[in-house]
Every structure is written in C-alpha cells, then in structure tokens.
Amino acid sequence: MGRIESNLANTPHFNPLNPREFRKQAHEMVDFIADYYQNIESYPVLSQVQPGYLRASLPQKAPSLPESLETILEDVKNQIIPGMTHWLSPNFFAFFPSTVSTAGFLGEMLCTCFNSVGFNWIASPAATELEMVVIDWLADMLKLPKSFMFQGTGGGVIQNTTSEAILVTLIAARDKALDVYGSGNLNKLVVYASDQTHSTFAKACKMVGISPRNIRLIPTTIDAGFSLSPVQLKAAVEADMADGLVPLYLCVTLGTTSTTAVDPIELLAGVAKEHGMWVHVDAAYAGSACICPEFRHHLNGVERVDSLSLSPHKWLLSGLDCCCLWVKSPTALVKALSTNPEYLRNKQSESDSVVDFKDWQVGTGRRFKSLRLWLIFRTYGVVNLQGHIRSDVGMAKIFEEFVRSDP
C-alpha cells in the first residue's frame, strides 16, 4: 500500500473534463461541424481513396504526449474527410439517406452530455420515463391501438437498429413456443417472410438457433408489387405442418429495402394467427409515412400483430441509431431477456412498479436516446413532420414521372 501511495503522490493529476478547457474545445468542435455542413456539397459523395490509405498515413502508435485539438481537427480535415462517403450530402442518392436534423443533432449532444447508462429505472429515472413518454407519443402519431402503448397494456423501447428489434422478438417468440412444445423441438420451428425481406431477418433467425432449412423466404412477383401473398403463405404453412413442423414467426414488411414493397398486414396476420404464430411488422422505412392520415391505411390490421418496429433514423429526422419497437406483450419480452444480478437489484424494480429497459434488449447498458426524439417532436411538431413526409413523397412522384416519360 505504501508503494501505491508513493506512486500516486508522484503522478501529476489528469483531469479529462476541465470545464474551462471544455468550453473552448466545444466551441472549436461546433464551428468545425458547422463548417463541414456548410461545405458538404463541395466534397465528392463517394470517397476516392484506396483500401489501406489511412493506416499508411497515420502513426503506428498512439501519442505519448497530448496533442492540441487544432492539430487533431486538421488531421480530420486532411485524413478522415477524404475517406468519408458523405451520406448527408444533397448529392447522395444511395440506400436511405440519414435524415439528420438540427433538433436530432442537439438531442444527441444532450445524450452525450449526460452520458446516462439507463439500464434500469433507478440508474436514471428520467431516461426511462422520457423514453416511455416519447414512444407513446409516436404510437399516438401512428394511431396504434392502446394495446401497443404504455397508456394501455403494451409498451415500446428504443433499440439500436431493426436487426435488434427482430432479434429480441424472435427470442421471445422462440421461448414462448418452446414452453409449449419442449426445449428439444427447436429444430422444428419454422419462420416466414418474403424474398424481399431484409437479409437481417435470416441472420437473426440463425442467431436464435432456427435451422437455415426452416427459414421460408416466399417468392414474390412484379405483378403483385413484390408483396407477400397470403395465399402462398398459407400454402407454405400448411405444407410445413403436414411435415410435423411448427410455424413460429412471420415477418411482414412495410417498405422493403430492394423495392419498397408493402405487404398486406391484415390478410397475412389472419393466416398467421390461425396457426398461433408471432407476427412482427418491420416498418423500418415506410412506417414513418403512416403519421400522415392519407398513408395510415398501410398499417391496417396492425391490431392483429404482436410487434412492430420503425426506424426514425430513416425518415423522421433522427440520426443513427434509433429504432422504435412496440410489443403487445412486454411480459413475453421480459421473460425471455430478463437478468437480475445482485448489483442491479433494487426496491423499485422488485416492486414491479417501474420499467427496466435492460430486460427489453440484448445488452444491459443503454444511452439516453429518447432525448433526440423528444427534441425532434417538440421542435418541429407533428404538422411539420407530416409536411416533411409529404414533400418527399411529392418529389418521388415527380421522379417517377421523369422515369416513365423517358423511353
């Protein structure tokens, strides 16, 4: 102990968050970011560098002594930015542009500022309760039934991405089925989706132990707008049951990545519920449009499904990563994902009077992401968010006319 005390006495104090220095450097960083957005259109959208460029231009070891932020930002400008694909450039037309906004950016700053690790209610009551509020706000904007809301009998949680939303609902569905059929029957469980469904679905199925031969990606056709056919789903399910297999889970998509196809929720849920399947709606991209009354019909039948996910980082002005997941039965999710080590136990959790979001996700730690949505909803209001969606739809129709008019 004496040696440790001696070493500490001879070690200069290092304060990584000096308030005076923080204010100066924060101003420098904000100015740098503002300049980046001001000039983003001048950069080539797709990076022009070759593989390995950065390792060849940066030192092989971390610096022993401090470097100034000015020096570091100069390297960001000269070394990092040339290797970026600029997703926020107005000239970016690939995938889904990240629809960042001033409000979303400021919410992210607050999230980082507080550095809340809200795994359970007592770790940060505001983080848990604000998330419950904004997830219900968005459910209300989408006109979801009360069975998906904390105001009702369900609830929602902010996951990182759709991949995690599908994964946790698959786990809940799997465990629920194995409680009935026995843990030795995992190899009999079958899952269903269309051939347009995101590749994440098959990946998540493998992660929860579904055999690749039991993943049914049902073919779609251009005549049907690449949407999943209830008739074909029914035929596939009945064939599997005849072979002694157990239909487990159906993933319905609202706006597929390849073709933006919309699956008929109501009809597909009807088929699935005849056979006791968990139905999940992946509305990651197009679900946001349903905050507009004229597009809400795409969610018709949602009252018959078990879970729904939507990604505000795709069309509701939030930066990555932000995926809202609603479930009708939080109990199923918590039962499958709950952990309760000694160091996390507390009176409030054990009284069942609070929500502990650690039991709604894969990991334990979680960020205060609801601040982003809270700022977006309050700064812009529902009316402006609807206007944003309608403007994009209008531009898409203009683009469609250009394409159709070109021989």
Side-chain angles (χ1 to χ4, degrees):
M1 179 60 76
R3 281 202 307 275
I4 293 174
E5 288 173 349
S6 174
N7 289 339
L8 285 174
N10 295 325
T11 302
H13 178 63
F14 167 58
N15 181 2
L17 193 60
N18 181 302
R20 184 177 297 174
E21 189 66 18
F22 174 79
R23 182 180 292 274
K24 174 179 176 293
Q25 294 191 348
H27 281 160
E28 288 183 59
M29 183 62 77
V30 169
D31 286 343
F32 182 88
I33 292 169
D35 288 344
Y36 169 73
Y37 283 148
Q38 186 73 34
N39 299 315
I40 193 169
E41 204 168 352
S42 66
Y43 301 121
V45 174
L46 188 64
S47 171
Q48 307 299 300
V49 301
Q50 297 301 313
Y53 91 100
L54 197 56
R55 179 174 287 277
S57 60
L58 292 181
Q60 297 301 304
K61 295 181 179 180
S64 297
L65 298 174
E67 297 181 276
S68 70
L69 182 61
E70 184 180 8
T71 299
I72 297 167
L73 289 180
E74 193 65 25
D75 281 348
V76 172
K77 181 179 177 181
N78 297 326
Q79 309 287 355
I80 303 300
I81 287 180
M84 294 288 299
T85 294
H86 299 280
W87 282 62
L88 295 178
S89 169
N91 300 315
F92 180 92
F93 296 109
F95 302 106
F96 298 99
S98 179
T99 54
V100 75
S101 61
T102 301
F105 200 102
L106 296 176
E108 179 64 23
M109 290 172 72
L110 269 182
C111 175
T112 302
C113 163
F114 293 136
N115 196 36
S116 169
V117 188
F119 36 74
N120 57 13
W121 180 88
I122 202 169
S124 187
T128 295
E129 296 196 12
L130 185 64
E131 186 158 338
M132 295 169 71
V133 168
V134 297
I135 211 87
D136 268 7
W137 279 7
L138 184 51
D140 180 67
M141 289 159 63
L142 294 164
K143 298 295 183 283
L144 295 184
K146 286 285 179 70
S147 55
F148 282 104
M149 301 167 70
F150 287 109
Q151 295 175 29
T153 54
V157 58
I158 299 175
Q159 303 282 351
N160 292 319
T161 63
T162 302
S163 310
E164 291 177 32
I166 291 175
L167 179 62
V168 298
T169 52
L170 271 167
I171 292 169
R174 177 200 65 190
D175 287 8
K176 190 177 177 182
L178 293 179
D179 282 346
V180 175
Y181 295 100
S183 58
N185 287 302
L186 179 60
N187 64 337
K188 290 186 177 180
L189 302 181
V190 188
V191 297
Y192 305 84
S194 86
D195 60 358
Q196 299 299 308
T197 302
H198 198 284
S199 57
T200 285
F201 175 66
K203 182 177 181 178
C205 290
K206 293 174 186 175
M207 290 173 71
V208 302
I210 304 297
S211 169
R213 66 176 178 272
N214 286 355
I215 300 173
R216 307 281 182 261
L217 300 180
I218 299 170
T220 57
T221 64
I222 190 171
D223 293 336
F226 297 106
S227 65
L228 178 56
S229 162
V231 174
Q232 285 189 272
L233 173 66
K234 184 178 179 67
V237 170
E238 289 178 350
D240 285 330
M241 292 183 72
D243 288 339
L245 299 174
V246 177
L248 173 71
Y249 186 104
L250 168 66
C251 185
V252 181
T253 306
L254 183 55
T256 61
T257 302
S258 298
T259 59
T260 69
V262 174
D263 293 335
I265 296 173
E266 193 158 18
L267 295 174
L268 292 168
V271 173
K273 287 306 171 184
E274 286 179 23
H275 305 287
M277 296 165 63
W278 183 294
V279 182
H280 176 74
V281 175
D282 171 8
Y285 150 61
S288 296
C290 296
I291 68 170
C292 300
E294 65 269 31
F295 303 127
R296 173 57 178 77
H297 65 276
H298 291 301
L299 277 176
N300 285 354
V302 71
E303 68 279 357
R304 306 188 70 181
V305 312
D306 299 279
S307 54
L308 164 76
S309 59
L310 179 156
S311 296
H313 64 241
K314 286 192 170 164
W315 210 359
L316 277 182
L317 303 179
S318 171
L320 277 171
D321 37 18
C322 181
C323 173
C324 296
L325 167 67
W326 291 271
V327 289
K328 259 187 185 171
S329 175
T331 303
L333 215 58
V334 172
K335 185 178 179 183
L337 300 169
S338 171
T339 56
N340 195 28
E342 179 62 36
Y343 56 84
L344 292 182
R345 291 178 188 170
N346 62 88
K347 182 174 63 177
Q348 289 84 355
S349 295
E350 290 172 5
S351 71
D352 289 330
S353 61
V354 298
V355 169
D356 288 344
F357 278 127
K358 69 178 176 60
D359 299 329
W360 295 52
Q361 62 178 27
V362 174
T364 300
R366 57 200 329 276
R367 302 174 69 230
F368 200 166
K369 292 183 183 177
S370 56
L371 283 166
R372 281 203 304 237
L373 291 180
W374 194 49
L375 263 74
I376 289 167
F377 295 159
R378 294 189 64 188
T379 301
Y380 304 126
V382 178
V383 169
N384 279 322
L385 292 173
Q386 290 171 333
H388 163 65
I389 298 286
R390 288 168 178 148
S391 172
D392 282 2
V393 171
M395 285 192 286
K397 288 181 177 178
I398 292 171
F399 179 69
E400 180 186 10
E401 290 171 7
F402 288 159
V403 174
R404 290 188 182 280
S405 66
D406 188 333

